[in-house]
Amino acid sequence: MTIRIFFTCFIMIMIPTIRSGAQNLQRLSPEILWKIGRVGLDCVSPDGQYAVYGVQRYDVPNNKSTRVLYIVHTKTGDTRPLTDPDETASDAEFRPDGKRIGFLRNGTLCEVSPFGSHIKKISDIEMNGFHYAPDGESILFIQDVKMDQTAAEVHPDLPNTTGRVIDGLFFRHWKSWRDYKYSNIFYAGYGDNKLSDPVNIMNERYDSPLQPMGGMEQITWSPDGRFIVYTCRKLPGTAEAQSTNSDLYAFELSSGKTINFTEGLPGYDIDPVFSPDGNYLAWTSLERAGNEADRTRLMLLDIRTQLRTELTEGWTCEANHPQWAPDSKSLYFISAENFTYQYYQVNLSDRKIRRITEGQHDYSSLKVAGNELIGARTSMANPAELYAVNAQTGAARQLSFVTEDPWKTLAKGKVERRTVLTTDGKNMNVWMIFPPDFDPKKKYPALLYCQGGPQSALSQFFSYRWNMQLMAANGYIVVAPCRRGMPGSGQAWNDAISGDWGGGAMSDLLAASDYAAKEPYVDNKRMGAVGASFGGYSVFWLAGNHQKRFKAFIAHDGIFNMESFTAKRKKSGLSTTTLKALTGKHPGRNRIHSARIFMFRTGTRRSWWYTMNSTFASRSPREYKPLRRLSYRAFLPVFSIFPTKGTGCKKRKTAYSGNARFLTG
């Protein structure tokens, strides 16, 4: 009964009456959101004439998904499917001769004609990713190799035990338990549509690519086929857990020797790409040891002289996803300036950086097709579609139209960029998303969206977890501040949150909410704060410091008890620099920034609360009991827990449930 009272009050207070709007278009709902096909670029043909992309679709009732591969002509736009609609295909890559396309289906290598016929299974070997050699006569692939013993194997007299014996780190990394296996790299001869016996080039208790988030972009062939270059952090146990130093290792096939190309560089070195002429190796690198949110630099190694240089020296923003121009004289990459991700080019000769694209959107992937760049593009108003971009002019052509049904028939909210002055006099970018039928003469409730990370970008992404259009479609004005501690405005702005979680960043959030509250169309008596991870922490912190600004709070996997969190992260493995970023120079600062301290202030009472957690998240639901104690009976907090890994609640039914519960209770 009390829960019914809570949600009835929540809806009455926070959600305005929804009308159809002048255009009488349908509004976005969780059901429609999860019907949208999700577009992702896989590869481009050697001659640049074709691009292959995947479309992932979800069957929420059956908690299943499929991913179908499509091929599109980059000039004419002609598109056709390559794989079956009821199966999942991934990791597509053209064979070097361009005559076949390899891909993984159920973890095994298959090939298909570019014309979408004659799918052939090449091998029964289980793979998690692969690359063809430049001459097409061999392949490399990654496979999980069991090297550690389970508790039952250590104790054969206890064959049915399911426990874990943990005597060091890593035992869990982020959302993934150590499963006694390591991702190793193999190569095998390829001919007559079959593979020869594979050779493990690592055979070590190390992972390549880096776990749990690395992919095949961290492994490559040299153009002459002499080397396999791969990313790895070759440190044992606890040392690995506390380090952010990965290196690029070059395995020479003829000799079997391995060379460290990045020895002496203390941060992450990842994403190696050889120039087409084979003279250079480029990659991205973090300069500062232990700093996971450092600026990604673009590095260059001259293979002939072994001279290493930074191509982006003096550039204050990121340089991600490097790709070579066909003439080997420049590189393209993705970077965020002013909180959108765009395409850039840097020349080897003078190291000048040129911005190629403009606009209120993000490019999230990059492949080179002759004089064009191919990639997926999103905005807060549009889901991902594939585009071809002229590398000289930046002019873009849409190649895929997967999301038109149903997106074209929906009423969408306007997205505006605003500049807000912070309490210390800095200009802060704030995104504002308006309801589809916005009328400036009316008043609307507002949601302050608190981004997670803490050092992750609030750019023009299209999220299926925190979807701005979904919130706006329910009658809210969404206020999304790019507070300090985010990439998109240089390294200094990104670094500003280190050791100051509860300081300037929280003041930035309050400054954005105060700015919105002064707008004549915002009902400042109906404002809420929402967020996940660090955003959830922000919501908890704001709850004790908002001074009656907000009437409702929604926190997902937020950090409630800073002392407990940092102690737990020390045990599970976190770099000392990252821990210092949480606590500053003095561990006692945990208490200053710990949200739990502020929750007992009276301002938290008479607020509506909804908290979400996943059972595998690093933050357990410690916040629910104190919220229960603080709240009066008519204002009971509601708590949902999802039995999934990580903080994302990304499984079909789980994520859909989270979307629906967020909006309706």
Side-chain angles (χ1 to χ4, degrees), residues 6 9-15 444-448 476 510 513 517 522-530 539 542-554 602-610 627 631 634-637:
F6 163 77
C9 294
F10 183 92
I11 292 169
M12 289 176 63
I13 294 288
M14 289 299 296
I15 301 182
Y444 299 84
L447 293 175
L448 178 70
Y476 298 105
L510 291 173
S513 67
V522 170
D523 187 346
N524 58 22
K525 291 181 171 55
R526 291 191 295 167
M527 296 185 71
V530 303
V539 170
L542 291 171
N545 294 277
H546 68 102
Q547 297 177 347
K548 300 183 180 180
R549 287 175 171 90
F550 304 113
K551 287 294 192 295
F553 300 94
I554 297 179
T602 56
T604 309
R605 301 171 188 262
R606 292 191 172 273
S607 298
W608 284 263
W609 269 97
Y610 176 39
L627 286 175
S631 301
F635 304 99
L636 271 176

Tab-separated table of all heavy atoms in Angstrom, residues 6 9-15 444-448 476 510 513 517 522-530 539 542-554 602-610 627 631 634-637:
chain	number	residue	atom	x	y	z
A	6	PHE	N	3.440	5.971	-2.708
A	6	PHE	CA	4.674	6.632	-3.168
A	6	PHE	C	4.606	6.940	-4.655
A	6	PHE	O	4.829	8.062	-5.095
A	6	PHE	CB	5.872	5.744	-2.866
A	6	PHE	CG	7.104	6.139	-3.638
A	6	PHE	CD1	7.852	7.233	-3.246
A	6	PHE	CD2	7.488	5.426	-4.758
A	6	PHE	CE1	8.966	7.600	-3.958
A	6	PHE	CE2	8.595	5.798	-5.471
A	6	PHE	CZ	9.340	6.885	-5.065
A	9	CYS	N	1.955	9.556	-5.682
A	9	CYS	CA	2.431	10.903	-5.374
A	9	CYS	C	3.524	11.333	-6.331
A	9	CYS	O	3.548	12.471	-6.805
A	9	CYS	CB	2.943	10.969	-3.931
A	9	CYS	SG	1.649	10.729	-2.696
A	10	PHE	N	4.445	10.410	-6.644
A	10	PHE	CA	5.566	10.729	-7.534
A	10	PHE	C	5.049	11.177	-8.896
A	10	PHE	O	5.463	12.197	-9.446
A	10	PHE	CB	6.464	9.506	-7.686
A	10	PHE	CG	7.686	9.757	-8.522
A	10	PHE	CD1	8.865	10.163	-7.932
A	10	PHE	CD2	7.657	9.577	-9.901
A	10	PHE	CE1	10.001	10.390	-8.690
A	10	PHE	CE2	8.772	9.810	-10.668
A	10	PHE	CZ	9.948	10.218	-10.050
A	11	ILE	N	4.121	10.395	-9.436
A	11	ILE	CA	3.601	10.709	-10.770
A	11	ILE	C	2.828	12.017	-10.750
A	11	ILE	O	2.956	12.859	-11.637
A	11	ILE	CB	2.720	9.546	-11.277
A	11	ILE	CG1	3.611	8.304	-11.530
A	11	ILE	CG2	1.989	9.928	-12.554
A	11	ILE	CD1	2.830	7.042	-11.770
A	12	MET	N	2.011	12.229	-9.689
A	12	MET	CA	1.232	13.465	-9.597
A	12	MET	C	2.128	14.688	-9.490
A	12	MET	O	1.877	15.726	-10.093
A	12	MET	CB	0.286	13.403	-8.387
A	12	MET	CG	-0.868	12.429	-8.562
A	12	MET	SD	-1.869	12.307	-7.073
A	12	MET	CE	-2.490	13.965	-6.937
A	13	ILE	N	3.221	14.575	-8.696
A	13	ILE	CA	4.091	15.722	-8.473
A	13	ILE	C	4.993	15.989	-9.665
A	13	ILE	O	5.174	17.124	-10.092
A	13	ILE	CB	4.952	15.493	-7.215
A	13	ILE	CG1	4.055	15.448	-5.977
A	13	ILE	CG2	6.025	16.562	-7.072
A	13	ILE	CD1	3.479	16.782	-5.588
A	14	MET	N	5.601	14.911	-10.202
A	14	MET	CA	6.700	15.092	-11.155
A	14	MET	C	6.296	15.035	-12.623
A	14	MET	O	6.972	15.592	-13.472
A	14	MET	CB	7.779	14.042	-10.902
A	14	MET	CG	8.557	14.276	-9.621
A	14	MET	SD	9.428	15.844	-9.620
A	14	MET	CE	10.561	15.588	-10.960
A	15	ILE	N	5.228	14.317	-12.979
A	15	ILE	CA	4.930	14.109	-14.389
A	15	ILE	C	3.737	14.949	-14.804
A	15	ILE	O	2.659	14.820	-14.248
A	15	ILE	CB	4.658	12.624	-14.694
A	15	ILE	CG1	5.882	11.794	-14.306
A	15	ILE	CG2	4.324	12.430	-16.157
A	15	ILE	CD1	5.742	10.331	-14.619
A	444	TYR	N	7.219	23.300	-17.072
A	444	TYR	CA	7.506	21.878	-17.143
A	444	TYR	C	8.392	21.470	-15.964
A	444	TYR	O	9.249	22.253	-15.519
A	444	TYR	CB	8.247	21.531	-18.438
A	444	TYR	CG	7.478	21.835	-19.688
A	444	TYR	CD1	7.493	23.116	-20.238
A	444	TYR	CD2	6.738	20.852	-20.324
A	444	TYR	CE1	6.788	23.407	-21.395
A	444	TYR	CE2	6.039	21.128	-21.492
A	444	TYR	CZ	6.058	22.406	-22.020
A	444	TYR	OH	5.358	22.686	-23.174
A	445	PRO	N	8.223	20.244	-15.464
A	445	PRO	CA	9.179	19.739	-14.465
A	445	PRO	C	10.528	19.495	-15.127
A	445	PRO	O	10.615	19.325	-16.353
A	445	PRO	CB	8.544	18.435	-13.994
A	445	PRO	CG	7.729	17.978	-15.156
A	445	PRO	CD	7.212	19.232	-15.821
A	446	ALA	N	11.581	19.485	-14.342
A	446	ALA	CA	12.931	19.336	-14.894
A	446	ALA	C	13.693	18.250	-14.161
A	446	ALA	O	13.499	18.030	-12.959
A	446	ALA	CB	13.692	20.658	-14.820
A	447	LEU	N	14.565	17.578	-14.902
A	447	LEU	CA	15.467	16.567	-14.338
A	447	LEU	C	16.903	17.031	-14.529
A	447	LEU	O	17.308	17.350	-15.651
A	447	LEU	CB	15.274	15.213	-15.025
A	447	LEU	CG	13.946	14.491	-14.800
A	447	LEU	CD1	13.893	13.225	-15.649
A	447	LEU	CD2	13.751	14.150	-13.333
A	448	LEU	N	17.656	17.053	-13.457
A	448	LEU	CA	19.095	17.304	-13.545
A	448	LEU	C	19.772	15.966	-13.772
A	448	LEU	O	19.759	15.088	-12.901
A	448	LEU	CB	19.609	17.950	-12.263
A	448	LEU	CG	21.125	18.205	-12.222
A	448	LEU	CD1	21.512	19.322	-13.184
A	448	LEU	CD2	21.582	18.539	-10.806
A	476	TYR	N	9.438	16.009	-19.411
A	476	TYR	CA	10.482	16.662	-18.627
A	476	TYR	C	11.374	17.538	-19.509
A	476	TYR	O	11.641	17.211	-20.668
A	476	TYR	CB	11.388	15.632	-17.954
A	476	TYR	CG	10.706	14.724	-16.967
A	476	TYR	CD1	10.422	13.404	-17.305
A	476	TYR	CD2	10.369	15.176	-15.705
A	476	TYR	CE1	9.803	12.562	-16.404
A	476	TYR	CE2	9.759	14.341	-14.792
A	476	TYR	CZ	9.466	13.029	-15.146
A	476	TYR	OH	8.850	12.202	-14.251
A	510	LEU	N	24.904	22.110	-9.142
A	510	LEU	CA	23.951	23.034	-8.527
A	510	LEU	C	23.817	24.319	-9.347
A	510	LEU	O	22.719	24.876	-9.473
A	510	LEU	CB	24.382	23.354	-7.096
A	510	LEU	CG	24.263	22.201	-6.096
A	510	LEU	CD1	24.881	22.579	-4.760
A	510	LEU	CD2	22.803	21.787	-5.917
A	513	SER	N	21.470	23.530	-12.208
A	513	SER	CA	20.070	23.435	-11.786
A	513	SER	C	19.507	24.814	-11.449
A	513	SER	O	18.345	25.114	-11.750
A	513	SER	CB	19.936	22.488	-10.591
A	513	SER	OG	20.573	23.014	-9.445
A	517	ALA	N	16.337	26.588	-13.179
A	517	ALA	CA	15.202	26.971	-12.331
A	517	ALA	C	14.743	28.404	-12.591
A	517	ALA	O	13.587	28.747	-12.318
A	517	ALA	CB	15.574	26.796	-10.860
A	522	VAL	N	10.420	26.555	-16.662
A	522	VAL	CA	10.766	25.472	-15.732
A	522	VAL	C	10.006	25.669	-14.429
A	522	VAL	O	10.044	26.748	-13.831
A	522	VAL	CB	12.286	25.433	-15.464
A	522	VAL	CG1	12.601	24.465	-14.322
A	522	VAL	CG2	13.032	25.020	-16.721
A	523	ASP	N	9.305	24.632	-14.007
A	523	ASP	CA	8.609	24.648	-12.720
A	523	ASP	C	9.624	24.283	-11.643
A	523	ASP	O	9.932	23.110	-11.442
A	523	ASP	CB	7.454	23.653	-12.744
A	523	ASP	CG	6.586	23.730	-11.491
A	523	ASP	OD1	7.026	24.347	-10.499
A	523	ASP	OD2	5.484	23.160	-11.508
A	524	ASN	N	10.161	25.292	-10.953
A	524	ASN	CA	11.228	25.025	-9.987
A	524	ASN	C	10.739	24.342	-8.725
A	524	ASN	O	11.531	24.029	-7.841
A	524	ASN	CB	11.978	26.313	-9.641
A	524	ASN	CG	11.058	27.392	-9.086
A	524	ASN	OD1	9.973	27.107	-8.586
A	524	ASN	ND2	11.502	28.637	-9.195
A	525	LYS	N	9.438	24.095	-8.640
A	525	LYS	CA	8.909	23.324	-7.520
A	525	LYS	C	8.769	21.844	-7.871
A	525	LYS	O	8.346	21.038	-7.048
A	525	LYS	CB	7.557	23.885	-7.081
A	525	LYS	CG	7.635	25.262	-6.431
A	525	LYS	CD	6.275	25.744	-5.996
A	525	LYS	CE	6.381	27.012	-5.161
A	525	LYS	NZ	7.109	28.098	-5.839
A	526	ARG	N	9.111	21.510	-9.110
A	526	ARG	CA	9.066	20.110	-9.555
A	526	ARG	C	10.367	19.782	-10.290
A	526	ARG	O	10.397	19.618	-11.499
A	526	ARG	CB	7.857	19.871	-10.455
A	526	ARG	CG	6.522	19.950	-9.738
A	526	ARG	CD	5.394	19.450	-10.627
A	526	ARG	NE	5.215	20.304	-11.802
A	526	ARG	CZ	4.463	19.950	-12.859
A	526	ARG	NH1	3.878	18.765	-12.895
A	526	ARG	NH2	4.341	20.775	-13.885
A	527	MET	N	11.445	19.694	-9.526
A	527	MET	CA	12.746	19.352	-10.087
A	527	MET	C	13.283	18.096	-9.405
A	527	MET	O	13.103	17.908	-8.193
A	527	MET	CB	13.733	20.505	-9.924
A	527	MET	CG	13.344	21.767	-10.681
A	527	MET	SD	14.596	23.078	-10.596
A	527	MET	CE	15.894	22.382	-11.623
A	528	GLY	N	13.926	17.236	-10.185
A	528	GLY	CA	14.519	16.008	-9.664
A	528	GLY	C	15.955	15.871	-10.125
A	528	GLY	O	16.398	16.563	-11.051
A	529	ALA	N	16.702	14.965	-9.486
A	529	ALA	CA	18.094	14.680	-9.864
A	529	ALA	C	18.231	13.189	-10.124
A	529	ALA	O	17.735	12.371	-9.326
A	529	ALA	CB	19.053	15.127	-8.767
A	530	VAL	N	18.882	12.827	-11.227
A	530	VAL	CA	19.024	11.423	-11.615
A	530	VAL	C	20.463	11.162	-12.045
A	530	VAL	O	21.157	12.057	-12.532
A	530	VAL	CB	18.058	11.052	-12.765
A	530	VAL	CG1	16.619	11.337	-12.372
A	530	VAL	CG2	18.414	11.801	-14.051
A	539	VAL	N	23.893	12.139	-7.006
A	539	VAL	CA	22.518	12.245	-6.523
A	539	VAL	C	22.477	12.137	-5.001
A	539	VAL	O	21.790	12.908	-4.322
A	539	VAL	CB	21.635	11.167	-7.178
A	539	VAL	CG1	20.259	11.102	-6.519
A	539	VAL	CG2	21.478	11.449	-8.674
A	542	LEU	N	23.921	15.354	-3.562
A	542	LEU	CA	22.990	16.463	-3.724
A	542	LEU	C	21.819	16.358	-2.753
A	542	LEU	O	21.299	17.376	-2.277
A	542	LEU	CB	22.470	16.507	-5.164
A	542	LEU	CG	23.483	16.902	-6.242
A	542	LEU	CD1	22.881	16.686	-7.625
A	542	LEU	CD2	23.924	18.346	-6.078
A	543	ALA	N	21.408	15.122	-2.446
A	543	ALA	CA	20.262	14.929	-1.562
A	543	ALA	C	20.498	15.547	-0.187
A	543	ALA	O	19.558	16.023	0.454
A	543	ALA	CB	19.952	13.441	-1.419
A	544	GLY	N	21.743	15.552	0.251
A	544	GLY	CA	22.053	16.125	1.549
A	544	GLY	C	22.485	17.569	1.501
A	544	GLY	O	22.749	18.175	2.543
A	545	ASN	N	22.590	18.133	0.281
A	545	ASN	CA	23.115	19.492	0.146
A	545	ASN	C	22.284	20.384	-0.783
A	545	ASN	O	22.732	21.470	-1.146
A	545	ASN	CB	24.549	19.436	-0.404
A	545	ASN	CG	25.521	18.788	0.561
A	545	ASN	OD1	26.035	19.432	1.468
A	545	ASN	ND2	25.771	17.499	0.371
A	546	HIS	N	21.105	19.937	-1.170
A	546	HIS	CA	20.374	20.660	-2.222
A	546	HIS	C	19.564	21.839	-1.708
A	546	HIS	O	19.099	22.667	-2.507
A	546	HIS	CB	19.463	19.694	-2.989
A	546	HIS	CG	18.314	19.156	-2.193
A	546	HIS	ND1	17.035	19.632	-2.330
A	546	HIS	CD2	18.258	18.186	-1.260
A	546	HIS	CE1	16.227	18.963	-1.531
A	546	HIS	NE2	16.952	18.079	-0.869
A	547	GLN	N	19.360	21.919	-0.398
A	547	GLN	CA	18.641	23.052	0.192
A	547	GLN	C	17.284	23.277	-0.485
A	547	GLN	O	16.968	24.366	-0.960
A	547	GLN	CB	19.499	24.314	0.126
A	547	GLN	CG	20.793	24.185	0.937
A	547	GLN	CD	21.689	25.394	0.812
A	547	GLN	OE1	21.492	26.252	-0.045
A	547	GLN	NE2	22.692	25.472	1.677
A	548	LYS	N	16.538	22.180	-0.559
A	548	LYS	CA	15.149	22.167	-1.045
A	548	LYS	C	15.025	22.484	-2.536
A	548	LYS	O	13.958	22.889	-3.006
A	548	LYS	CB	14.287	23.126	-0.223
A	548	LYS	CG	14.235	22.777	1.261
A	548	LYS	CD	13.323	23.712	2.014
A	548	LYS	CE	13.294	23.332	3.499
A	548	LYS	NZ	12.394	24.231	4.284
A	549	ARG	N	16.079	22.276	-3.316
A	549	ARG	CA	15.987	22.483	-4.759
A	549	ARG	C	15.177	21.378	-5.433
A	549	ARG	O	14.492	21.619	-6.429
A	549	ARG	CB	17.384	22.529	-5.387
A	549	ARG	CG	18.202	23.791	-5.127
A	549	ARG	CD	19.587	23.590	-5.722
A	549	ARG	NE	20.416	24.777	-5.738
A	549	ARG	CZ	21.240	25.129	-4.742
A	549	ARG	NH1	21.292	24.390	-3.635
A	549	ARG	NH2	21.990	26.220	-4.853
A	550	PHE	N	15.309	20.132	-4.928
A	550	PHE	CA	14.759	18.973	-5.617
A	550	PHE	C	13.649	18.310	-4.809
A	550	PHE	O	13.673	18.287	-3.584
A	550	PHE	CB	15.864	17.953	-5.890
A	550	PHE	CG	17.022	18.513	-6.671
A	550	PHE	CD1	18.269	18.643	-6.087
A	550	PHE	CD2	16.845	18.916	-7.979
A	550	PHE	CE1	19.338	19.170	-6.791
A	550	PHE	CE2	17.905	19.445	-8.701
A	550	PHE	CZ	19.160	19.573	-8.106
A	551	LYS	N	12.701	17.717	-5.556
A	551	LYS	CA	11.607	16.989	-4.936
A	551	LYS	C	11.745	15.475	-5.101
A	551	LYS	O	11.027	14.721	-4.447
A	551	LYS	CB	10.280	17.428	-5.562
A	551	LYS	CG	9.826	18.826	-5.144
A	551	LYS	CD	9.501	18.872	-3.657
A	551	LYS	CE	8.768	20.146	-3.279
A	551	LYS	NZ	9.604	21.353	-3.482
A	552	ALA	N	12.636	15.025	-5.996
A	552	ALA	CA	12.766	13.587	-6.247
A	552	ALA	C	14.197	13.259	-6.633
A	552	ALA	O	14.918	14.091	-7.200
A	552	ALA	CB	11.803	13.152	-7.355
A	553	PHE	N	14.598	12.003	-6.319
A	553	PHE	CA	15.951	11.535	-6.604
A	553	PHE	C	15.895	10.111	-7.155
A	553	PHE	O	15.163	9.276	-6.623
A	553	PHE	CB	16.816	11.541	-5.339
A	553	PHE	CG	16.957	12.898	-4.703
A	553	PHE	CD1	16.100	13.292	-3.686
A	553	PHE	CD2	17.928	13.786	-5.130
A	553	PHE	CE1	16.215	14.536	-3.098
A	553	PHE	CE2	18.051	15.042	-4.550
A	553	PHE	CZ	17.194	15.414	-3.533
A	554	ILE	N	16.676	9.857	-8.194
A	554	ILE	CA	16.829	8.500	-8.726
A	554	ILE	C	18.323	8.223	-8.842
A	554	ILE	O	19.043	8.912	-9.569
A	554	ILE	CB	16.152	8.336	-10.096
A	554	ILE	CG1	14.636	8.564	-9.968
A	554	ILE	CG2	16.424	6.955	-10.665
A	554	ILE	CD1	13.886	8.457	-11.280
A	602	THR	N	18.124	17.002	7.506
A	602	THR	CA	16.675	17.031	7.380
A	602	THR	C	16.214	17.348	5.971
A	602	THR	O	15.086	17.054	5.609
A	602	THR	CB	16.078	18.075	8.348
A	602	THR	OG1	16.684	19.339	8.090
A	602	THR	CG2	16.345	17.683	9.789
A	603	GLY	N	17.094	17.959	5.157
A	603	GLY	CA	16.697	18.286	3.794
A	603	GLY	C	16.409	17.063	2.954
A	603	GLY	O	15.774	17.150	1.908
A	604	THR	N	16.901	15.895	3.387
A	604	THR	CA	16.658	14.666	2.640
A	604	THR	C	15.242	14.159	2.864
A	604	THR	O	14.700	13.421	2.053
A	604	THR	CB	17.664	13.590	3.063
A	604	THR	OG1	18.957	14.150	2.982
A	604	THR	CG2	17.607	12.381	2.146
A	605	ARG	N	14.654	14.523	3.971
A	605	ARG	CA	13.295	14.093	4.262
A	605	ARG	C	12.322	14.743	3.283
A	605	ARG	O	12.592	15.766	2.677
A	605	ARG	CB	12.914	14.455	5.701
A	605	ARG	CG	13.826	13.820	6.751
A	605	ARG	CD	13.521	14.403	8.113
A	605	ARG	NE	14.495	13.961	9.107
A	605	ARG	CZ	14.293	12.962	9.954
A	605	ARG	NH1	13.179	12.284	9.926
A	605	ARG	NH2	15.232	12.628	10.827
A	606	ARG	N	11.161	14.128	3.189
A	606	ARG	CA	10.101	14.611	2.298
A	606	ARG	C	10.575	14.701	0.844
A	606	ARG	O	10.213	15.615	0.113
A	606	ARG	CB	9.567	15.966	2.770
A	606	ARG	CG	8.812	15.876	4.094
A	606	ARG	CD	8.070	17.166	4.402
A	606	ARG	NE	7.206	16.978	5.557
A	606	ARG	CZ	5.963	16.508	5.499
A	606	ARG	NH1	5.469	16.152	4.325
A	606	ARG	NH2	5.240	16.380	6.593
A	607	SER	N	11.429	13.767	0.463
A	607	SER	CA	11.850	13.651	-0.932
A	607	SER	C	11.473	12.268	-1.431
A	607	SER	O	11.466	11.298	-0.670
A	607	SER	CB	13.367	13.857	-1.065
A	607	SER	OG	13.727	15.145	-0.655
A	608	TRP	N	11.169	12.162	-2.714
A	608	TRP	CA	10.833	10.874	-3.304
A	608	TRP	C	12.113	10.221	-3.802
A	608	TRP	O	12.920	10.837	-4.501
A	608	TRP	CB	9.846	11.076	-4.464
A	608	TRP	CG	8.461	11.356	-3.960
A	608	TRP	CD1	7.441	10.471	-3.811
A	608	TRP	CD2	7.949	12.619	-3.549
A	608	TRP	NE1	6.329	11.092	-3.317
A	608	TRP	CE2	6.604	12.428	-3.133
A	608	TRP	CE3	8.487	13.908	-3.454
A	608	TRP	CZ2	5.798	13.440	-2.666
A	608	TRP	CZ3	7.682	14.925	-2.986
A	608	TRP	CH2	6.361	14.693	-2.599
A	609	TRP	N	12.275	8.948	-3.488
A	609	TRP	CA	13.517	8.242	-3.791
A	609	TRP	C	13.233	6.977	-4.592
A	609	TRP	O	12.297	6.244	-4.311
A	609	TRP	CB	14.241	7.831	-2.498
A	609	TRP	CG	15.196	8.855	-2.018
A	609	TRP	CD1	14.992	9.812	-1.061
A	609	TRP	CD2	16.527	9.051	-2.480
A	609	TRP	NE1	16.104	10.595	-0.903
A	609	TRP	CE2	17.072	10.148	-1.761
A	609	TRP	CE3	17.326	8.427	-3.437
A	609	TRP	CZ2	18.361	10.613	-1.958
A	609	TRP	CZ3	18.610	8.887	-3.641
A	609	TRP	CH2	19.116	9.968	-2.900
A	610	TYR	N	14.096	6.716	-5.576
A	610	TYR	CA	14.109	5.424	-6.258
A	610	TYR	C	15.573	5.062	-6.491
A	610	TYR	O	16.311	5.835	-7.113
A	610	TYR	CB	13.357	5.487	-7.591
A	610	TYR	CG	13.408	4.197	-8.391
A	610	TYR	CD1	13.320	2.953	-7.764
A	610	TYR	CD2	13.554	4.220	-9.766
A	610	TYR	CE1	13.364	1.782	-8.490
A	610	TYR	CE2	13.594	3.057	-10.507
A	610	TYR	CZ	13.502	1.833	-9.862
A	610	TYR	OH	13.556	0.673	-10.588
A	627	LEU	N	17.852	5.541	4.006
A	627	LEU	CA	16.779	6.283	3.354
A	627	LEU	C	15.437	5.896	3.946
A	627	LEU	O	14.549	6.727	4.136
A	627	LEU	CB	16.787	6.009	1.846
A	627	LEU	CG	17.887	6.679	1.032
A	627	LEU	CD1	17.813	6.214	-0.415
A	627	LEU	CD2	17.768	8.182	1.113
A	631	SER	N	12.889	8.641	5.851
A	631	SER	CA	11.680	9.074	5.175
A	631	SER	C	10.447	8.841	6.026
A	631	SER	O	10.349	7.855	6.764
A	631	SER	CB	11.545	8.329	3.843
A	631	SER	OG	12.651	8.584	3.024
A	634	ALA	N	4.678	8.351	4.155
A	634	ALA	CA	4.104	8.710	2.856
A	634	ALA	C	5.169	8.952	1.792
A	634	ALA	O	4.849	9.155	0.637
A	634	ALA	CB	3.233	9.949	2.998
A	635	PHE	N	6.440	8.950	2.190
A	635	PHE	CA	7.515	9.260	1.246
A	635	PHE	C	8.542	8.135	1.226
A	635	PHE	O	9.737	8.369	1.221
A	635	PHE	CB	8.184	10.583	1.632
A	635	PHE	CG	7.220	11.720	1.713
A	635	PHE	CD1	6.719	12.137	2.928
A	635	PHE	CD2	6.806	12.358	0.558
A	635	PHE	CE1	5.823	13.182	2.991
A	635	PHE	CE2	5.912	13.410	0.623
A	635	PHE	CZ	5.411	13.818	1.843
A	636	LEU	N	8.052	6.881	1.248
A	636	LEU	CA	8.959	5.740	1.317
A	636	LEU	C	9.864	5.662	0.095
A	636	LEU	O	9.401	5.828	-1.036
A	636	LEU	CB	8.159	4.437	1.397
A	636	LEU	CG	7.796	3.957	2.799
A	636	LEU	CD1	6.930	2.719	2.682
A	636	LEU	CD2	9.042	3.637	3.600
A	637	PRO	N	11.156	5.395	0.286
A	637	PRO	CA	12.025	5.142	-0.864
A	637	PRO	C	11.732	3.772	-1.457
A	637	PRO	O	11.292	2.862	-0.760
A	637	PRO	CB	13.426	5.185	-0.258
A	637	PRO	CG	13.231	4.755	1.147
A	637	PRO	CD	11.886	5.276	1.556
